Amino acid sequence: MNTSSRDGDDDSCFQAFRREMEIKHEAKCVKAEKQSAWKKQQRFSEQKQWRQQLKRTQQYLGLCNSHYPIAGSMEAVCSDLENLRVTARAVENNLSLPIRGDTGLLPKDFDSFAIFISIDVEAFEFNQKRITEIGISTLDTGDLLGLQPGAKGSNWAAKIRSRHFRIREHGHLLNKVYVEGCPDKFNFGQSEWIYEQDAISVLEGCFNPSPSPLSVSSTKPCKVVLVAHDVAGDLKYLTGIGFDATQRISDCIDTSVLYKVARHEIGQTALSTLLLQYGIAAKHLHNAGNDASYTLRVMIAIAVDDVQNKRTAEEWEVEKRSRIEAACEMAKQKVCAELEGWSTSEDEKVANPSTSPFTVDQRQGGIIRTIKTFPKDPPSRPTRPPDEDI
């Protein structure tokens, strides 16, 4: 076979290979487009549920002049409890109805009173089954009638009542590696020591709070609404000790979701970030009692701010352009960083293979170790002894 025919065969083989890769790439793109469309639809559905959650919060606080019916059982409120993923029930009402936006906010349009119960659970960082702290804070909307929220909802936040429980059996366990635990620094009263076996009865009492006199005298129903920052995580801890909070509440509010709606963001945000964004002074975070109280304060601040300072479409357009510019700058910095270090003057020098180290990745028990080594010298070939004179 001559050289030209062999080159022609190689070229035809390469063309066939390239066409095969193009077909696979096209199929991959079609699949990716379908997945992207499905994820977009799922995200829009979630965002609708999140918006409804903020509207319901404002309704409970008397800030919203629209009425959103709430289901009477958690089976209707939560659509997925198998993995303790709490999703609020979809409400069919029109979300475009106006909200009262005056600065002199006075809650007066309750269709029912609500008692918010905020929870936070701290567990030992090296054994999540060992609960060390439980924080409970409550806010009765009956105490808010005729009271303006004040700056950042501070007047309403003053009505929050908080308790902090520490588990005696695990009192010696202190988190200090992944988070800085401070179980002895409860800001809103005295901590209470309880035995683990008594935790369920204590929680049952907390989830059956005494309503305010106004709530008692009213003929309107009183709802118990669970509030947490990442509801699913705290529910999982409570379920682990045998307490099912979902059977004792009418609705659940997640402050991380409220923040997403208010700021039009998707990612998960820490409680400390929310406190900073809304100008709420805080100290001794990761104390369960403090976190429960701060979670309720953040809920109030988000609900009030969304009414008082609701952004217009033009303002959101400016925000979008600002985020695009920031994202472009981050992408530019990332590309520049990736292209650094690939070409240096030392590359012009030919390295000696016998002295140039190379790295080998070894996987042991799921951990990859990078080992730097040097190539071994090739074995020396035996030399033939000189012929002896005969």
Side-chain angles (χ1 to χ4, degrees):
M1 180 181 293
N2 56 36
T3 305
S4 61
S5 62
R6 185 169 63 246
D7 292 342
D9 291 341
D10 290 344
D11 184 65
S12 61
C13 289
F14 177 76
Q15 294 299 332
F17 170 69
R18 184 169 66 176
R19 180 56 186 161
E20 180 184 355
M21 293 299 101
E22 289 175 350
I23 293 174
K24 289 184 177 181
H25 178 70
E26 291 174 359
K28 185 177 180 180
C29 290
V30 171
K31 183 178 180 180
E33 289 179 1
K34 291 181 179 179
Q35 289 180 342
S36 177
W38 180 81
K39 288 181 180 179
K40 184 177 181 180
Q41 184 179 4
Q42 292 294 109
R43 179 166 58 86
F44 284 174
S45 177
E46 282 188 337
Q47 288 173 334
K48 180 180 179 180
Q49 293 177 358
W50 295 345
R51 294 196 307 271
Q52 291 163 353
Q53 192 172 140
L54 177 57
K55 297 295 185 183
R56 294 201 310 276
T57 303
Q58 292 168 336
Q59 178 188 335
Y60 292 135
L61 292 170
L63 300 174
C64 183
N65 61 358
S66 303
H67 300 289
Y68 299 90
I70 300 300
S73 65
M74 278 305 296
E75 283 76 8
V77 175
C78 304
S79 63
D80 184 4
L81 288 177
E82 292 183 0
N83 297 318
L84 289 172
R85 178 187 175 191
V86 179
T87 305
R89 179 180 67 89
V91 183
E92 289 76 15
N93 293 62
N94 184 4
L95 296 179
S96 63
L97 293 175
I99 298 176
R100 204 166 56 247
D102 54 321
T103 55
L105 298 175
L106 286 174
K108 54 187 177 182
D109 294 330
F110 293 125
D111 64 337
S112 64
F113 287 98
I115 298 179
F116 294 101
I117 300 180
S118 174
I119 62 170
D120 185 77
V121 181
E122 296 291 327
F124 184 49
E125 54 195 351
F126 297 115
N127 187 346
Q128 295 292 297
K129 293 182 179 180
R130 295 188 176 184
I131 304 301
T132 57
E133 306 171 59
I134 300 174
I136 302 285
S137 291
T138 59
L139 175 66
D140 192 327
T141 56
D143 295 330
L144 308 182
L145 280 175
L147 179 65
Q148 291 190 3
K152 307 165 191 171
S154 57
N155 292 343
W156 290 358
K159 299 296 183 178
I160 296 174
R161 292 169 289 182
S162 301
R163 300 179 71 180
H164 179 229
F165 302 100
R166 298 183 63 182
I167 307 300
R168 286 188 179 276
E169 292 90 333
H170 305 152
H172 63 288
L173 301 176
L174 178 63
N175 293 333
K176 50 189 176 182
V177 176
Y178 300 109
V179 296
E180 192 67 30
C182 51
D184 58 337
K185 292 182 171 59
F186 180 43
N187 300 336
F188 305 101
Q190 293 292 328
S191 300
E192 304 173 52
W193 287 96
I194 62 173
Y195 290 101
E196 188 174 18
Q197 64 183 10
D198 299 328
I200 294 179
S201 60
V202 169
L203 287 169
E204 286 176 346
C206 292
F207 274 79
N208 188 26
S210 300
S212 67
L214 284 175
S215 301
V216 172
S217 61
S218 173
T219 58
K220 297 179 179 180
C222 185
K223 305 287 186 180
V224 176
V225 181
L226 177 67
V227 182
H229 190 77
D230 182 18
V231 171
D234 289 307
L235 285 179
K236 183 177 180 179
Y237 285 132
L238 295 181
T239 302
I241 61 175
F243 181 76
D244 186 5
T246 62
Q247 300 300 318
R248 297 165 173 83
I249 60 178
S250 302
D251 196 3
C252 54
I253 301 298
D254 193 325
T255 50
S256 66
V257 168
L258 300 187
Y259 182 80
K260 291 176 184 179
V261 177
R263 297 303 176 100
H264 292 193
E265 295 183 3
I266 299 298
Q268 190 73 5
T269 309
L271 177 61
S272 58
T273 301
L274 272 63
L275 293 167
L276 286 172
Q277 290 292 331
Y278 286 92
I280 300 174
K283 61 180 180 178
H284 303 143
L285 294 175
H286 297 297
N287 174 293
N290 297 339
D291 286 1
S293 180
Y294 289 136
T295 297
L296 264 188
R297 292 165 189 261
V298 163
M299 181 202 74
I300 295 171
I302 294 175
V304 171
D305 181 76
D306 184 71
V307 174
Q308 291 180 334
N309 305 305
K310 200 169 187 67
R311 296 191 188 185
T312 63
E314 291 76 15
E315 290 173 329
W316 278 118
E317 187 62 29
V318 173
E319 175 69 15
K320 182 172 73 172
R321 290 197 295 267
S322 175
R323 293 186 187 184
I324 291 175
E325 291 176 359
C328 290
E329 180 61 27
M330 290 180 63
K332 177 181 176 182
Q333 293 177 2
K334 180 181 178 181
V335 171
C336 292
E338 289 175 348
L339 292 177
E340 288 178 350
W342 289 105
S343 177
T344 65
S345 58
E346 295 180 359
D347 294 340
E348 304 301 327
K349 302 176 182 179
V350 178
N352 185 349
S354 63
T355 60
S356 299
F358 62 91
T359 59
V360 178
D361 288 343
Q362 292 185 353
R363 183 179 296 271
Q364 294 181 354
I367 301 176
I368 298 179
R369 297 190 310 162
T370 300
I371 301 174
K372 183 175 289 188
T373 184
F374 290 84
K376 296 180 179 179
D377 294 332
S380 57
R381 298 179 61 184
T383 56
R384 180 178 178 181
D387 295 336
E388 297 179 359
D389 295 335
I390 300 176

